Amino acid sequence: MAMTDKTLRIPLTLASPADQMFPRLTPEQIARIATHGHARQVQRGEVLIEAGERTPRFFVVTAGSLEVVRPAGPTEELVAVCEPGMFTGEVHLLSGRRAFVQTRASDTSEVIEIDREQLLALVQTDSELSDILMRAFILRRVELIAHGFGDVVLIGSSHCAGTLRIKEFLTRNGNPYSSIDLDREADVQDLLDRFRISTADVPVLIYRGAVVLRNPSNREIADCLGFNEAIDAVHLRDVVIVGAGPAGLAAAVYGASEGLDVLVVESNAPGGQAGSSSKIENYLGFPTGISGQELAGRAYTQAQKFGAQVIIAKGGTQLMCDRKPYAIEIDNGPRVPARTIIIATGAAYRKLPLPNLSEFEGAGVYYGATFMEAQLCSGEEVVVVGGGNAAGQAAVFLGQTAKRVHMLVRSSGLAESMSRYLIRRLEQSPAIAIRPQTEIVALEGGHHLERLRWRDNQTGAIETHDVRHVFVMTGAVPNTQWLDGCVALDAKGFIKTGPDLSQDDLAAAHWPLGRAPHLLETSVPGVFAVGDVRGGNIKRVASAVGEGSIAVAFVHQALQE
Ligand SMILES: Cc1cc2nc3c(=O)[nH]c(=O)nc-3n(C[C@H](O)[C@H](O)[C@H](O)COP(=O)(O)OP(=O)(O)OC[C@H]3O[C@@H](n4cnc5c(N)ncnc54)[C@H](O)[C@@H]3O)c2cc1C
């Protein structure tokens, strides 16, 4: 795609040089692509991909030109022009989701047309073309996100928990959107009137200028944007993975790349806890660190490249393990049959025992410290609760923009719970104050947190502070309630696997095989548990990723049995 004078110019960053985002293929490369599709002529003005079309096709221009336009109300914006040697598409081609833009012939042209299945086969088998196409698709999506060139407008307030939730959901799903902040933009009454929106309705999501969702749940958003419509959730899979945190995504990448038919079921958005980390510095291969969101986004795209399908915003609500094939019930509805299952449902944040906590969740109380939350509290005092690595990371990150970070730790110090490199960073930051043996005893405010009280447990003294932002980083409890006794759990509710399963556990579960359970296998043969949800797991991204990939080797063995 080449930028023309008429083209809406997208400022390019250093990370996205134009020749990588809009490369021109060589005749040899085009010839290889041609074996996966067919050549055809198109007439001037003919629409090849309609905006909003599902599972669109992929085109390489061999003569003439195509133009890519974005509907913008009654008008349209020219986004790019594809000349000979260039190709259409971005990440939606991998997932089979709807296209954001329209592609049509600006001239009588010749193209090679390929359907999505053939495109997936191409990127899985031709590594040179895979590099070129994947890089261009990802860079194009990054630019769409950076410029809010999606099909969604979010109207809300930055002080509203619902608005923050929706922003986080769209961001973690890599869906570009533009937003209008009612607190900052005074001139929005016309828009509200046009869609008959009252301030009581916010946050409001407008899809393609036509569908209006008032304070929608994540599931409603996923349904409206068609996140799951390309997925067949009824056919028998080699493996169903429940949870798309680092462990589930790793299992999906390894499973799909090794030819397994993989379905992932994720109750929220890809990334899990890691997705809420501002910067992971100890994951191998990223010496300057990587945000959890970026790591998850890459893994999600990688899994889709290999053909894994990911259901978004719908959770596993039951595991049917008393029959073969097994089945996972999704959102109390359809049941997906599975030859094997990998449980990667991780853990959920532990909450503070305060009666009015839920009133302030997302409105002053947060469980992740990413760029989005940091923007909300820039220049203000904040509190971080917790003494582990997640809390230390959040404090260091927020310490760069907040006026002051009070770190409240229940124990007498950090040495036992936090990595040394983080303790040093905390000690060196003038903006951070560590307060051992201190805990929050009250939260106060109206629609947003306005102040809190904390107690020094050594002296019993209670202090009131006008702090409007609290980051709770106090560890997590396993997401195993939905399993309803199907697999053996330890005393804290984590799943027991492999050598941790006692003879009594196996007898109680009626273990039917002559062999002992594999390393990551639960008390049910062919059902595996990986990552934070597994008893004895080391709570790190690397161990979650490692376990997710190792489990696939055992899945192959279970499929042979
Ligand atoms: C703020 C923060 C910072 C961190 N920083 C680091 C770090 O720097 N380095 C490091 O190594 N580790 C870090 N960690 C720990 C690391 O993120 C976790 O160990 C890792 O994410 C665990 O991965 P997981 O896939 O096992 O589980 P999770 O990340 O918990 O993912 C589980 C997924 O399953 C989904 N799910 C839950 N129930 C269901 C259901 N019933 N159906 C479908 N889906 C379901 C969840 O929505 C979630 O997406 C951090 C954690 C946090 C919270």
Side-chain angles (χ1 to χ4, degrees):
M1 285 186 223
M3 297 293 183
T4 70
D5 284 337
K6 276 164 56 192
T7 305
L8 177 72
R9 289 187 183 277
I10 302 173
L12 299 176
T13 61
L14 277 180
S16 53
D19 57 349
Q20 293 189 344
M21 201 180 345
F22 310 116
R24 220 178 264 267
L25 300 169
T26 64
E28 295 73 32
Q29 290 166 341
I30 293 175
R32 293 215 299 280
I33 291 179
T35 61
H36 289 261
H38 64 275
R40 59 176 277 211
Q41 280 221 326
V42 286
Q43 300 307 313
R44 181 188 170 86
E46 186 179 334
V47 174
L48 298 178
I49 302 166
E50 192 54 89
E53 182 184 324
R54 187 161 75 78
T55 51
R57 291 141 297 149
F58 171 77
F59 296 94
V60 180
V61 182
T62 49
S65 63
L66 304 181
E67 59 189 7
V68 179
V69 296
R70 172 180 180 252
T75 60
E76 60 183 24
E77 289 164 335
L78 179 64
V79 176
V81 172
C82 281
E83 291 165 349
M86 295 180 173
F87 54 87
T88 60
E90 52 93 41
V91 169
H92 72 286
L93 274 168
L94 304 175
S95 58
R97 287 191 192 163
R98 299 173 195 163
F100 296 119
V101 285
Q102 185 194 72
T103 304
R104 66 182 176 225
S106 38
D107 228 330
T108 299
S109 308
E110 283 171 21
V111 295
I112 297 166
E113 176 177 338
I114 298 186
D115 66 28
R116 185 174 153 258
E117 280 65 37
Q118 284 299 315
L119 178 72
L120 285 177
L122 179 71
V123 294
Q124 286 165 25
T125 51
D126 188 320
S127 73
E128 186 197 24
L129 282 170
S130 173
D131 281 357
I132 296 169
L133 301 186
M134 291 298 293
R135 195 182 301 121
F137 290 168
I138 291 167
L139 291 174
R140 289 173 189 178
R141 174 60 67 95
V142 167
E143 292 295 328
L144 288 174
I145 292 173
H147 297 278
F149 283 179
D151 40 14
V152 169
V153 178
L154 175 64
I155 303 175
S157 153
S158 53
H159 300 300
C160 154
T163 306
L164 191 65
R165 169 181 57 79
I166 295 175
K167 280 187 177 180
E168 207 166 291
F169 182 68
L170 292 171
T171 304
R172 287 177 67 161
N173 278 294
N175 199 93
Y177 68 94
S178 49
S179 66
I180 296 172
D181 188 340
L182 291 174
D183 298 331
R184 292 191 186 153
E185 292 170 53
D187 206 15
V188 290
Q189 197 55 48
D190 275 0
L191 187 74
L192 296 179
D193 292 346
R194 196 170 116 218
F195 289 102
R196 295 199 182 86
I197 299 167
S198 79
T199 42
D201 293 330
V202 295
V204 166
L205 192 130
I206 302 175
Y207 173 62
R208 294 175 57 74
V211 182
V212 178
L213 300 182
R214 293 167 163 81
N215 193 13
S217 66
N218 291 351
R219 188 184 165 179
E220 286 170 320
I221 297 171
D223 287 344
C224 174
L225 303 191
F227 281 180
N228 301 317
E229 62 192 7
I231 299 175
D232 167 9
V234 289
H235 83 255
L236 177 62
R237 305 282 180 157
D238 292 330
V239 56
V240 171
I241 299 165
V242 191
L249 288 172
V253 167
Y254 279 84
S257 69
E258 291 171 18
L260 299 178
D261 183 354
V262 176
L263 178 73
V264 184
V265 181
E266 166 53 52
S267 56
N268 186 24
Q273 297 168 72
S276 62
S277 167
S278 53
K279 200 170 190 186
I280 298 167
E281 291 196 64
N282 54 0
Y283 188 57
L284 189 73
F286 295 91
T288 56
I290 182 166
S291 77
Q293 174 57 43
E294 202 183 338
L295 186 67
R298 289 177 186 210
Y300 182 38
T301 306
Q302 196 175 10
Q304 289 178 325
K305 165 185 145 175
F306 288 118
Q309 295 187 313
V310 186
I311 292 184
I312 297 296
K314 291 179 198 260
T317 41
Q318 208 185 329
L319 165 58
M320 263 70 73
C321 56
D322 55 350
R323 69 194 73 168
K324 281 219 164 178
Y326 303 127
I328 297 282
E329 180 189 83
I330 300 179
D331 263 6
N332 301 310
R335 295 174 174 185
V336 192
R339 292 192 177 93
T340 63
I341 287 169
I342 297 180
I343 302 168
T345 46
Y349 315 117
R350 195 170 279 136
K351 306 214 166 183
L352 297 178
L354 298 167
N356 58 350
L357 178 76
S358 61
E359 289 171 32
F360 300 115
E361 285 178 317
V365 173
Y366 316 99
Y367 297 95
T370 66
F371 178 67
M372 210 146 50
E373 288 86 10
Q375 278 180 315
L376 296 177
C377 54
S378 170
E380 295 190 44
E381 294 206 16
V382 306
V383 161
V384 173
V385 184
N389 278 355
Q393 249 180 36
V396 170
F397 176 63
L398 295 166
Q400 296 163 13
T401 47
K403 185 171 151 198
R404 189 132 187 87
V405 179
H406 304 275
M407 198 169 173
L408 309 194
V409 186
R410 219 171 33 178
S411 62
S412 55
L414 298 171
E416 283 182 12
S417 52
M418 194 180 290
S419 300
R420 283 177 66 93
Y421 83 94
L422 272 173
I423 297 178
R424 269 202 303 271
R425 295 250 174 96
L426 294 174
E427 288 168 350
Q428 283 164 5
S429 169
I432 299 173
I434 301 169
R435 303 186 184 282
Q437 298 189 43
T438 304
E439 58 187 311
I440 295 180
V441 289
L443 300 172
E444 293 171 7
H447 294 305
H448 194 278
L449 179 67
E450 283 159 23
R451 78 197 68 80
L452 53 79
R453 272 178 255 167
W454 71 54
R455 182 178 59 219
D456 180 333
N457 287 336
Q458 284 168 292
T459 63
I462 293 180
E463 295 175 21
T464 303
H465 291 264
D466 291 338
V467 170
R468 293 166 23 85
H469 304 281
V470 175
F471 293 83
V472 182
M473 306 277 172
T474 48
V477 286
N479 287 321
T480 47
Q481 310 78 350
W482 66 282
L483 291 165
D484 198 23
C486 235
V487 297
L489 305 180
D490 69 16
K492 290 183 176 167
F494 291 90
I495 300 175
K496 288 174 115 176
T497 55
D500 290 344
L501 287 158
S502 65
Q503 286 307 322
D504 288 349
D505 291 327
L506 296 179
H510 307 293
W511 178 259
L513 304 178
R515 66 164 175 82
H518 293 302
L519 190 62
L520 300 168
E521 200 166 25
T522 68
S523 55
V524 179
V527 176
F528 301 87
V530 293
D532 278 18
V533 75
R534 195 180 71 79
N537 158 276
I538 306 295
K539 309 278 179 279
R540 293 282 185 275
V541 175
S543 45
V545 168
E547 290 182 10
S549 50
I550 295 168
V552 171
F554 297 121
V555 163
H556 284 295
Q557 293 182 30
L559 288 172
Q560 302 299 320
E561 272 170 353

